[in-house]
Every structure is written in C-alpha cells, then in structure tokens.
Amino acid sequence: MANILHIDSSPRGDRSISRALSYEFVTSWKDTHPGDTVTYRDLGRNPVPHVDEPWIAGAFSSPDTHTPELQQAIKVSDTLIDELLAADRLVFGVPMYNLNIPSTFKAYIDQIVRVGRTFTVGANGYQGLVDNSKKVLIITSRGGSFPAGTPSGAYDYQEPYLRAILGFIGLTDVTFIHAENLNMGDDAREKSLAGAKDAIAQAVTNW
C-alpha cells in the first residue's frame, strides 16, 4: 500500500486542464490500486504563504533556539515537508504560466526546499535528503509546444526548473506528461489532450 501526495496548482476550477488530467490519473490509479491512500492539497484555491523574514529566521536557526513566533513562522513548512516525506509517490498538476510555473507552486517549493530538512550542505556540496526512491509524476498544461532542442524549446523554463529543484532535494525519478498546443486551434488541442490521456493510461499501468 502506497501513500500518494496529489497537488494541484491551477486557480481555475472546471476549466483547468492540469487539474482535470491530474484528477483523471489519481482516480484511475485508485481504481487499480484500491489500497493506496491519497493526500490532496489544492494550492490554486488554498495557496500557502510566501517565504518572509520570520520564516528565514526560523529555517536557518536551530530548533532549540526557536521562540513561539519562529515556531509559528515555519509551521506550514513543517507540515508540507512532513506530507512530502510521508508520501511514496507524488502527483503534481502544474499549468505553464509565462514559460514557467504558477506563483502558487513556487511558493510551495520555497516552503519545502529547506536546509536541514530536505537538503544539506557538506564537504561535497549540496545533498538532497529526500528518499530518491519516491516517484514523481508532473502533469502540465501549456498553450504552445516547447520541444527540447528546437528554438521554442529554449523558452521552456518549467520542466528544466522542476527537474533541477526536485533533484536538488533528492527526487530524481520524475516523469512529465505535457498537454501542449492548447491555444493552437481545436485540432491541435484535441490531438494533444488525446495524447496526454493515452500517456496517463500508460502511467497508471507502468508508473
């Protein structure tokens, strides 16, 4: 039995493609693995706070020196990190905003990438502390297409960033499913959605 951490980051409701596709995956996964549990967090509708000065003071000091104020400042971070560490598999629904990720998801990342909890710095430099046996599935929605190695691929700051920051904390088994060309006409949109749904069906079997 596995614990799935499912996170959506789109602020849209029924009109959200990333939200619909991540839900389709998790629902199909649960049908196939009924014993698994799901922890769900909706960052689009319930965003986590951005890092501020008290957060920095709390995160970069020893817990035994924390005042009640500093404990409160990093309480959300502790909760999110505990959720992450307790999960066996991670499913993220992430739309592309301005070639990158939504600020809601960036705020989440800033809360979970924390020295002493998810990474450390030693004699050999940075080291991720999160168990790298965890699998990550990221389902994105994009208005255009950004194939690697093409001129438009240079504009993709979403997948490279997510691979880098997740790898930084130790998560290296990362799979992407992109629903692309959503603003490129009905034919391109439907073709891309069909491809994404096929990839989701395969991921349910093979992930």
Side-chain angles (χ1 to χ4, degrees):
M1 185 175 73
N3 179 27
I4 312 297
L5 177 58
H6 175 199
I7 293 179
D8 280 321
S9 56
S10 171
R12 303 170 78 186
D14 293 341
R15 295 168 58 237
S16 169
I17 298 299
S18 64
R19 187 184 291 272
L21 292 176
S22 74
Y23 175 80
E24 180 171 333
F25 174 84
V26 171
T27 301
S28 297
W29 182 271
K30 280 286 291 176
D31 288 343
T32 308
H33 305 82
D36 288 1
T37 60
V38 177
T39 299
Y40 180 66
R41 186 169 287 275
D42 189 341
L43 301 177
R45 294 173 173 175
N46 300 288
V48 298
H50 290 280
V51 164
D52 56 14
E53 186 171 0
W55 188 99
I56 295 170
F60 287 90
S61 60
S62 174
D64 58 13
T65 68
H66 287 174
T67 63
E69 290 74 20
L70 291 186
Q71 292 175 357
Q72 184 64 30
I74 58 172
K75 183 178 179 180
V76 169
S77 175
D78 284 335
T79 298
L80 296 176
I81 291 171
D82 289 344
E83 281 182 356
L84 176 75
L85 298 179
D88 302 294
R89 296 171 183 264
L90 314 171
V91 180
F92 299 146
V94 187
M96 175 180 273
Y97 283 6
N98 297 321
L99 311 179
N100 209 310
I101 61 176
S103 63
T104 52
F105 200 64
K106 180 60 166 63
Y108 171 79
I109 287 173
D110 289 341
Q111 291 283 354
I112 65 168
V113 178
R114 194 170 122 200
V115 67
R117 291 296 313 271
T118 56
F119 77 94
T120 189
V121 186
N124 297 319
Y126 296 108
Q127 178 182 351
L129 298 177
V130 181
D131 183 355
N132 65 5
S133 69
K134 298 179 190 293
K135 292 178 176 289
V136 183
L137 176 65
I138 300 177
I139 301 174
T140 77
S141 56
R142 301 167 160 199
S145 179
F146 306 89
T150 68
S152 61
Y155 291 114
D156 182 2
Y157 293 93
Q158 185 187 47
E159 179 174 340
Y161 170 69
L162 289 174
R163 285 193 182 279
I165 196 63
L166 294 175
F168 182 79
I169 63 174
L171 296 169
T172 56
D173 190 344
V174 182
T175 300
F176 279 84
I177 295 176
H178 297 302
E180 298 188 306
N181 290 320
L182 300 178
N183 294 335
M184 298 299 171
D186 291 344
D187 288 346
R189 177 187 177 91
E190 292 307 314
K191 181 178 179 181
S192 180
L193 287 175
K197 292 185 178 197
D198 285 345
I200 285 171
Q202 292 177 22
V204 170
T205 302
N206 301 321
W207 189 49

